[in-house]
């Protein structure tokens, strides 16, 4: 027999309520609530009757009401300045892997590097009562902490890839010194001794840091750069092509290029191929970032350093979960890089 309108199990009455579940299971509303939350002591058969009633009625708990009761929204915000998603997407995927296990949703906010837009997104996240915020970007440069919106001081924040300038904050970053060492040691192990370094703008931390550590590692081996200096420029293939020509004019005996990113490395490989240089037999090329779009499309495919962006996102999410539980881990947490060896070296 079809239940009457308004009776427990009635489809015409609209969405089933907790009271309907309790009535069908023959228990109080309080008992039904405890059975669903897994709290309270009751006989297994009582809990099962409640679960059976939930299945029969198609009952879905009111998440908003549960959030108010628990003091949690089960959502976190991910604020990024990386509009194209080159760096923020892997970080987001890693964060979702960690947060998904706790059934926490992620709200992605793209500030496009605009301070006013960032404040707008932060106010929206506060209005949504997020449990915490992960901040990431497209550069490894340190950034000012989030302090522009009232109320943020009560919400845990973790910085991923782009660390906070405040050492009291929690930041998760890639190990650029270690990544650079992997690249240089790989070239040295393959017998290269005349290594050029071509990288991006000197005012970018990633370019400066990788250049500094490349020179440092070569010095430890009793070697210097083939041209005697770092070639700073742009994060582009065009710059890689121009730089390769400049390096070979200055130091024609160069036998390897270590590049600050994969775009530059692909440009270098193109220029060498146009000159009739065999890569890697004559000159090896190593990039940085392991951006598949560049590394795999290069001819030949690039050996490169992977920054482990997804792992940065995962660790940042775990640090955020700890902070939400009042177990914050302030300071900088470093994630190791890995070398991906392909045909260019």
């Amino acid at each position: 027999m079809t239940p009457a309108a308004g009776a427990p199990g009635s489809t015409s009455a609209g969405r089933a309520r907790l009271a309907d579940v309790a009535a069908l299971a023959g228990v109080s509303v309080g008992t039904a609530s405890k059975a669903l939350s897994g709290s309270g002591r009751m006989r297994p058969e009582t809990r099962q009757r409640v679960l059976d009633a939930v299945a029969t009625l198609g009952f879905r708990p009111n998440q908003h009401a549960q959030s108010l009761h628990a003091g949690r929204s089960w959502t976190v915000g991910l604020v990024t300045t990386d509009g194209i998603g080159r760096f923020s997407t892997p970080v987001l995927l890693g964060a979702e892997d960690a947060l998904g296990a706790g059934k926490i949703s992620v709200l992605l906010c793209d500030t496009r590097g605009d301070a006013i837009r960032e404040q707008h997104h932060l106010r929206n996240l506060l209005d949504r009562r997020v449990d915490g915020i992960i901040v990431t970007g497209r550069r490894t440069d340190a950034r000012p902490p989030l302090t522009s919106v009232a109320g943020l001081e009560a919400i845990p924040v973790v910085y991923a890839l782009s660390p906070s300038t405040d050492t009291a904050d929690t930041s998760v970053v890639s190990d650029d010194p270690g990544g650079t060492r992997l690249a240089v040691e790989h070239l040295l192990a393959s017998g290269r001794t005349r290594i050029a370094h071509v990288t991006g703008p000197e005012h970018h931390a990633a370019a400066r840091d990788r250049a500094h550590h490349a020179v440092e590692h070569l010095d430890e081996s009793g070697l210097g750069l083939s041209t005697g200096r770092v070639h700073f420029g742009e994060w582009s293939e065009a710059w890689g092509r121009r730089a390769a020509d400049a390096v070979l004019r200055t130091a024609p005996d160069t036998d390897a290029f270590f590049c600050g990113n994969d775009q530059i490395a692909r440009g270098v490989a193109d220029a060498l191929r146009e000159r009739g240089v065999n890569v890697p037999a004559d000159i090896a090329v190593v990039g940085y970032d392991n951006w598949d779009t560049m590394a795999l499309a290069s001819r030949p495919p690039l050996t490169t350093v992977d920054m482990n962006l997804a792992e940065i996102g995962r660790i940042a999410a775990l640090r955020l979960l700890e902070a939400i539980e009042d177990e914050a881990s302030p300071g900088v947490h470093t994630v190791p890089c890995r070398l991906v060896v392909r045909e260019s070296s």
Side-chain angles (χ1 to χ4, degrees):
M1 184 175 72
T2 303
S10 169
T11 56
S12 62
R15 176 171 171 162
R17 301 166 302 165
L18 183 60
D20 300 327
V21 172
L24 186 59
V27 299
S28 69
V29 172
T31 298
S33 177
K34 291 177 181 178
L36 291 177
S37 66
S39 62
R41 299 179 61 182
M42 64 186 70
R43 292 184 297 175
E45 54 266 32
T46 301
R47 192 182 305 276
Q48 188 59 51
R49 285 208 313 275
V50 173
L51 297 178
D52 290 343
V54 167
T56 299
L57 298 174
F59 173 71
R60 295 177 58 193
N62 185 320
Q63 296 296 331
H64 180 64
Q66 285 190 328
S67 297
L68 290 175
H69 178 71
R72 294 277 298 274
S73 67
W74 302 102
T75 58
V76 303
L78 191 144
V79 177
T80 178
T81 60
D82 179 21
I84 63 173
R86 163 66 191 96
F87 295 99
S88 62
T89 298
V91 171
L92 171 64
L93 293 176
E96 284 189 324
D97 283 346
L99 297 170
K103 299 181 180 179
I104 297 175
S105 300
V106 180
L107 302 175
L108 178 61
C109 302
D110 174 21
T111 70
R112 305 179 194 175
D114 182 90
I116 295 176
R117 186 181 293 270
E118 179 175 277
Q119 292 178 28
H120 168 73
H121 283 308
L122 291 173
R123 283 192 291 268
N124 281 341
L125 291 175
L126 285 171
D127 289 343
R128 290 173 176 266
R129 301 176 60 255
V130 295
D131 297 323
I133 297 174
I134 297 174
V135 183
T136 188
R138 61 180 180 271
R139 291 168 58 172
T140 61
D141 299 74
R143 58 152 293 154
L146 300 182
T147 57
S148 58
V149 176
L152 277 173
E153 64 279 356
I155 297 179
V157 178
V158 172
Y159 299 82
L161 186 63
S162 305
S164 170
T165 53
D166 189 342
T167 56
D169 289 330
T170 301
S171 300
V172 182
V173 303
S174 179
D175 180 13
D176 260 3
T180 301
R181 180 178 288 277
L182 288 173
V184 173
E185 288 185 346
H186 170 71
L187 290 172
L188 295 176
S190 65
R192 314 293 171 159
T193 59
R194 297 283 292 163
I195 301 171
H197 184 51
V198 180
T199 191
E202 190 170 6
H203 64 274
H204 283 211
R208 286 195 314 276
D209 293 346
R210 291 166 196 170
H212 169 76
H213 294 297
V215 171
E216 185 177 67
H217 298 329
L218 287 172
D219 284 345
E220 292 173 0
S221 301
L223 299 171
L225 293 170
S226 67
T227 61
R229 69 180 182 90
V230 174
H231 295 262
F232 291 104
E234 306 163 358
W235 299 116
S236 70
E237 294 174 71
W239 164 238
R241 290 191 291 271
R242 295 197 306 272
D245 290 337
V247 166
L248 294 180
R249 282 197 303 270
T250 304
D253 58 346
T254 296
D255 59 10
F257 281 82
F258 169 42
C259 303
N261 79 348
D262 292 336
Q263 289 169 275
I264 295 172
R266 183 174 172 179
V268 167
D270 285 347
L272 294 177
R273 187 175 65 253
E274 290 169 3
R275 282 172 165 260
V277 175
N278 185 296
V279 177
D282 300 324
I283 299 179
V285 179
V286 173
Y288 209 104
D289 291 343
N290 195 28
W291 185 11
D292 285 355
T293 301
M294 288 291 158
L296 297 180
S298 178
R299 298 169 57 192
L302 294 172
T303 292
T304 183
V305 176
D306 192 310
M307 298 171 67
N308 271 338
L309 294 174
E311 182 66 3
I312 290 174
R314 191 184 74 84
I315 297 298
L318 293 177
R319 297 292 84 82
L320 184 64
L321 290 174
E322 291 172 356
I324 290 171
E325 298 297 332
D326 294 324
E327 298 177 1
S329 303
V332 177
H333 304 259
T334 303
V335 174
C337 297
R338 62 187 180 94
L339 184 72
V340 180
V341 178
R342 298 192 181 97
E343 289 90 330
S344 70
S345 65

